[in-house]
Amino acid sequence: MEKKKEFNPKVQWAKFICVLILYLLFLYWVKSWWGLLVIPFIYDIYITKKIKWQWWKEAEKPVKFVMSWVDALVFALVAVYFINQFFFQNYVIPSSSLEKSLLTGDYLFVSKVSYGPRIPQTPLTMPLTQHTLPVVECKSYLDWPHWDYRRVKGLGNIQLNDIVVFNYPAGDTLCSAPQYQAFDYYQMCYGIGYQLYPNCPNPDSLSADLRFKYFNAIYEAGRQTIRQNQMEYGEIITRPADRRENYVKRCVGLPGQTLQIKNHIIYLDGKANKEPENVQYTYYVKLKQSLPEELMEELGISMEDLTSLNTVGYLPLTKRAVEVLQSRKDLVEFVKLNTDANDLEIYPLNGNKHWTRDNYGPVWIPKKGEKIALTLDNIAVYERPIKVYEGNDLEIKDGKILINGQEAKEYTFKMDYYWMMGDNRHNSADSRYWGFVPEDHIVGKPIFIWWSSDPDRHGFSGIRWSRLGRIVDNIK
């Protein structure tokens, strides 16, 4: 027979006081005093013991066995939810957009304390899921209750050139069909709209207000086509900010700065920003023979990179890789920078300014509390922050900008915004394509790489031992 533990008042009071102090410090940090309602239950667990929290320990064997596992599982899920929400979480690099700074297959320890954790906007969610339950493929969170954005004070703020994890801003709307969920919904709408009206007038010949209406008509035509073809695209669904896909990019523009890209170099307030050491651009490469595996490993050229070379004739390369390949006349016929420019997929999608990925802007990055004069020439750039991220009604009527039904010649922003870009500059879906990242989308700061495996190699040989434990701040 199991021996019943004796109640030691001094020990129990000591435990209760320690837990209470830690709990009150946590409530003070998150500034959520509703948590005080939990204190009587904590008191009962340690002191009064009126509620039989572990009643199942006195039950028959089958019930006792099952409930012991249920108890352990619930405790683990609550602990994981609490830790992931307020302190840190794991993140894996899924694509090559930050190569060769961060590699596909790197697992990151992401600190939420660095910039301050967000109070969850959708608090009722299954731990270890972002938005969808595996296998059953349904939502892993409840839309109610939904709390307004609020961030707890952290250790610091985002600094220029920090690598940051954030929720994908354009992920608020998407098609539910699995084959389309990875696509940018807004780019799909415009792409379909352009196909429907191939003989549209040149928007450059239109006045500013008519041009704004023209692009919105193109978008609406594409949106209606998607809506009317649910068999192919599925339903149009929305996600709250904290349930959108997690992205990781480098912050290359801070609130209040004016950013411009000239010949692929980023300028902030007129001064060139230092490029990361391993920044990549795509180059047209013509080989005389296959690259040796040892050279590929030395230069960090992956099988994914070779696929790009075989299909479209270019390779993403760092400055050092370009120099090495140019010196290998026995292997390479020529290496030439890819300067192809496409302006149709560039932000803002509803105000084509003929900016490209290598020549963009200038654009002012919104800062909390600062005003900007609104004109028909710049409204397309700031429409999404004003309308979608800050919840205002915005329309153009009779050549005037109306916000919440009133004519607006200026606007004061309620949040800070950031400009995020990948280090693999010609192979990165970033702010050049979907615009500003609002502060309420910021998740946290990667601290170090705790695991790294090469997707081109399997087993023990695929482990990148040299990357384990590497501090992300040192990756410049």
Side-chain angles (χ1 to χ4, degrees):
M1 190 176 176
E2 212 175 287
K3 189 178 178 181
K4 195 174 182 180
K5 291 182 181 178
E6 292 183 8
F7 181 83
N8 187 324
K10 291 183 179 179
V11 172
Q12 291 303 110
W13 272 102
K15 288 180 180 179
F16 169 69
I17 291 171
C18 289
V19 171
L20 181 63
I21 290 172
L22 291 173
Y23 184 65
L24 289 175
L25 287 173
F26 173 76
L27 292 183
Y28 176 77
W29 180 45
V30 300
K31 291 182 172 55
S32 180
W33 301 113
W34 284 102
L36 293 174
L37 297 174
V38 177
I39 291 178
F41 297 100
I42 298 175
Y43 181 77
D44 180 75
I45 289 171
Y46 288 98
I47 307 300
T48 58
K49 298 185 179 293
K50 297 292 184 184
I51 302 173
K52 290 191 175 182
W53 298 97
Q54 294 184 320
W55 57 268
W56 49 267
K57 286 189 174 182
E58 299 174 2
E60 297 296 328
K61 272 191 176 180
V63 175
K64 184 176 181 179
F65 176 79
V66 171
M67 287 305 300
S68 66
W69 279 99
V70 170
D71 181 74
L73 181 62
V74 169
F75 177 81
L77 289 175
V78 170
V80 167
Y81 175 87
F82 180 78
I83 292 169
N84 279 358
Q85 186 63 56
F86 293 100
F87 296 98
F88 66 85
Q89 72 179 65
N90 171 56
Y91 180 79
V92 60
I93 301 293
S95 70
S96 59
S97 67
L98 266 169
E99 290 194 351
K100 293 302 188 271
S101 299
L102 292 175
L103 307 181
T104 304
D106 282 348
Y107 287 76
L108 307 178
F109 178 95
V110 178
S111 165
K112 294 192 172 181
V113 180
S114 295
Y115 305 133
R118 294 173 295 185
I119 298 300
Q121 292 164 280
T122 48
L124 299 182
T125 181
M126 178 62 68
L128 299 177
T129 64
Q130 181 60 21
H131 49 68
T132 305
L133 286 173
V135 183
V136 292
E137 295 294 325
C138 66
K139 285 198 308 186
S140 63
Y141 61 93
L142 297 180
D143 293 304
W144 188 92
H146 185 89
W147 297 341
D148 291 337
Y149 164 69
R150 186 166 69 83
R151 187 176 295 276
V152 177
K153 186 173 179 60
L155 300 177
N157 299 314
I158 296 176
Q159 302 298 311
L160 189 63
N161 297 320
D162 274 1
I163 294 176
V164 181
V165 176
F166 56 92
N167 297 118
Y168 177 40
D172 60 329
T173 307
L174 65 156
C175 297
S176 63
Q179 67 270 29
Y180 288 106
Q181 286 196 17
F183 287 76
D184 186 308
Y185 169 78
Y186 298 100
Q187 289 189 358
M188 283 177 59
C189 289
Y190 281 103
I192 294 170
Y194 286 128
Q195 291 176 10
L196 292 173
Y197 300 103
N199 299 318
C200 283
N202 183 352
D204 293 339
S205 65
L206 304 175
S207 63
D209 58 335
L210 288 178
R211 187 162 59 247
F212 186 84
K213 291 178 180 178
Y214 162 85
F215 284 116
N216 282 345
I218 292 291
Y219 165 77
E220 188 62 27
R223 190 178 74 90
Q224 288 300 330
T225 300
I226 291 174
R227 187 179 293 277
Q228 293 165 8
N229 289 274
Q230 287 192 14
M231 290 292 290
E232 180 179 357
Y233 298 103
E235 296 180 358
I236 298 175
I237 60 176
T238 60
R239 286 176 180 157
D242 60 342
R243 295 294 115 205
R244 297 168 195 170
E245 293 287 355
N246 286 331
Y247 271 36
V248 58
K249 307 286 180 187
R250 191 181 296 275
C251 177
V252 298
L254 295 173
Q257 294 183 319
T258 297
L259 176 141
Q260 185 172 14
I261 304 173
K262 294 189 287 187
N263 296 324
H264 70 68
I265 302 299
I266 297 170
Y267 290 81
L268 296 172
D269 298 329
K271 296 180 180 179
N273 187 32
K274 183 181 182 296
E275 287 197 311
E277 292 177 6
N278 288 314
V279 69
Q280 285 194 139
Y281 297 97
T282 59
Y283 291 80
Y284 287 108
V285 178
K286 187 172 182 181
L287 298 177
K288 294 179 179 178
Q289 56 181 289
S290 298
L291 297 175
E293 188 174 339
E294 317 84 69
L295 183 62
M296 287 176 56
E297 189 172 352
E298 177 193 343
L299 301 180
I301 297 173
S302 65
M303 294 305 296
E304 182 183 354
D305 297 337
L306 280 186
T307 301
S308 296
L309 179 63
N310 294 330
T311 55
V312 290
Y314 61 71
L315 271 176
L317 299 170
T318 62
K319 183 179 179 181
R320 177 176 174 271
V322 171
E323 292 171 350
V324 171
L325 290 181
Q326 285 176 334
S327 69
R328 293 296 302 268
K329 303 298 183 184
D330 57 321
L331 298 175
V332 181
E333 190 168 320
F334 68 79
V335 179
K336 185 176 69 172
L337 181 66
N338 175 14
T339 56
D340 291 349
N342 179 354
D343 61 2
L344 285 179
E345 297 179 348
I346 298 296
Y347 180 86
L349 296 172
N350 63 338
N352 191 331
K353 295 179 173 295
H354 304 298
W355 295 341
T356 67
R357 63 187 183 184
D358 288 337
N359 290 280
Y360 190 100
V363 61
W364 179 76
I365 304 170
K367 184 175 182 179
K368 183 177 181 179
E370 291 199 4
K371 295 180 180 179
I372 187 171
L374 297 179
T375 67
L376 293 175
D377 287 326
N378 71 7
I379 189 59
V381 175
Y382 299 105
E383 178 193 20
R384 187 166 176 81
I386 295 171
K387 187 176 180 179
V388 179
Y389 303 141
E390 302 199 354
N392 298 287
D393 179 53
L394 187 150
E395 61 178 330
I396 308 295
K397 193 173 183 180
D398 300 327
K400 297 179 180 179
I401 299 169
L402 303 180
I403 298 179
N404 299 324
Q406 301 293 319
E407 183 179 0
K409 295 184 178 179
E410 60 182 22
Y411 180 79
T412 304
F413 288 95
K414 302 171 187 174
M415 289 192 291
D416 283 329
Y417 292 79
Y418 302 88
W419 195 264
M420 306 288 187
M421 286 173 58
D423 292 353
N424 194 353
R425 293 286 162 83
H426 285 171
N427 190 26
S428 172
D430 52 38
S431 286
R432 293 169 294 178
Y433 299 90
W434 32 254
F436 310 106
V437 177
E439 65 175 76
D440 66 347
H441 283 54
I442 301 300
V443 174
K445 179 179 182 178
I447 302 299
F448 64 87
I449 300 168
W450 66 268
W451 182 256
S452 184
S453 56
D454 189 339
D456 294 337
R457 294 175 173 81
H458 301 287
F460 200 73
S461 63
I463 302 173
R464 303 187 185 108
W465 296 102
S466 62
R467 298 187 67 78
L468 303 190
R470 188 170 180 184
I471 304 299
V472 175
D473 261 354
N474 294 336
I475 301 174
K476 298 297 186 183

